């Protein structure tokens, strides 16, 4: 069974392991702790059999939100957990009165782009050579919640 709940500092070790496995530029533990201090940051984890399966980090300011991070343990990807995490965020954002959600993604990240487009995000803009390591553009996606 999958349980989505707010982040706790004891989740950090597992989160950082997933970060390192999933991102070429992983967030540091300190980045998660810094975000966790602010009410405008929402950090939620998906827990399965007492193990961290995935998580998301979003920032909500007024009626706008940005999804900064979402990841699922590679060992259990493609089983619907990413979708459940994203749906949880969208549902919570809607209840909080968020109207527009933004996110950035690498053009090479087909899994994430598929997930976002399937969930109603639309391409809004590009930020040229945004990513430090590969100098890929960042694709900016937006979803309007009504
Ligand atoms: C993006 C990510 C969170 C998706 O998590 P997931 O649990 O594998 O996703 P789901 O199983 O819920 O799948 C959601 C949809 O994406 C599709 N998908 C998942 N992985 C895919 C892949 N590698 N290629 C194409 N589509 C993929 C699924 O098929 C599903 O669509 P469908 O219902 O039409 O078949 C996961 O791939 C991940 O952690 N990636 C590394 C971190 C990352 O890149 N995060 C995004 C940063 S912008």
């Amino acid at each position: 069974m999958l349980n989505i709940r707010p982040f706790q500092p004891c989740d950090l070790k597992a989160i950082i392991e997933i970060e390192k496995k999933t991102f070429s530029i992983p967030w540091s533990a300190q980045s998660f702790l810094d975000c966790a201090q602010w009410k405008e940051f929402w950090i939620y984890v998906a827990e399965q059999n007492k193990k961290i399966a995935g998580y998301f980090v979003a920032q909500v300011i007024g009626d706008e939100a940005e999804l900064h991070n979402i990841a699922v343990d590679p060992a259990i990807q493609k089983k619907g957990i990413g979708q459940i995490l994203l749906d949880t965020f969208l549902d919570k954002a809607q209840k909080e009165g968020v109207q527009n959600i933004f996110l950035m993604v690498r053009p090479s990240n087909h899994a994430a782009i598929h997930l976002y487009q399937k969930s109603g995000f639309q391409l809004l803009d590009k930020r040229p050579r945004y990513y430090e390591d590969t100098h890929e553009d960042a694709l900016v996606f937006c979803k309007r919640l009504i």
Side-chain angles (χ1 to χ4, degrees):
M1 229 192 50
L2 197 71
N3 177 33
I4 312 283
R5 61 158 176 81
F7 163 83
Q8 296 167 0
C10 62
D11 303 323
L12 257 184
K13 192 169 175 284
I15 286 177
I16 294 303
E17 276 173 25
I18 296 174
E19 275 288 304
K20 286 181 180 161
K21 284 190 258 182
T22 49
F23 292 107
S24 53
I25 308 178
W27 281 25
S28 66
Q30 194 59 47
S31 300
F32 283 92
L33 288 173
D34 288 347
C35 290
Q37 290 187 8
W38 297 92
K39 214 177 147 200
E40 69 194 49
F41 280 93
W42 297 353
I43 312 180
Y44 279 76
V45 300
E47 196 176 35
Q48 195 173 43
N49 304 324
K50 297 189 177 165
K51 282 184 69 178
I52 302 301
Y55 47 88
F56 72 78
V57 182
Q59 185 179 17
V60 179
I61 300 177
D63 61 4
E64 289 196 352
E66 182 162 352
L67 182 62
H68 287 292
N69 196 340
I70 182 167
V72 172
D73 185 337
I76 44 174
Q77 286 178 2
K78 289 194 181 178
K79 292 181 191 295
I81 296 171
Q83 186 75 67
I84 291 171
L85 279 164
L86 185 58
D87 288 347
T88 302
F89 166 54
L90 295 176
D91 191 47
K92 190 169 157 53
Q94 185 142 38
K95 286 182 181 141
E96 293 284 328
V98 170
Q99 293 196 0
N100 290 300
I101 299 179
F102 300 90
L103 61 82
M104 285 194 288
V105 61
R106 293 174 191 251
S108 59
N109 194 343
H110 302 297
I113 291 171
H114 184 95
L115 173 64
Y116 300 145
Q117 288 185 322
K118 195 183 159 206
S119 302
F121 282 84
Q122 292 185 329
L123 183 61
L124 182 72
D125 204 357
K126 277 183 192 180
R127 298 210 176 145
R129 297 172 62 82
Y130 178 83
Y131 292 101
E132 283 171 24
D133 53 351
T134 57
H135 305 297
E136 275 179 281
D137 297 345
L139 302 181
V140 182
F141 277 84
C142 177
K143 179 178 167 78
R144 186 160 176 79
L145 298 175
I146 304 160

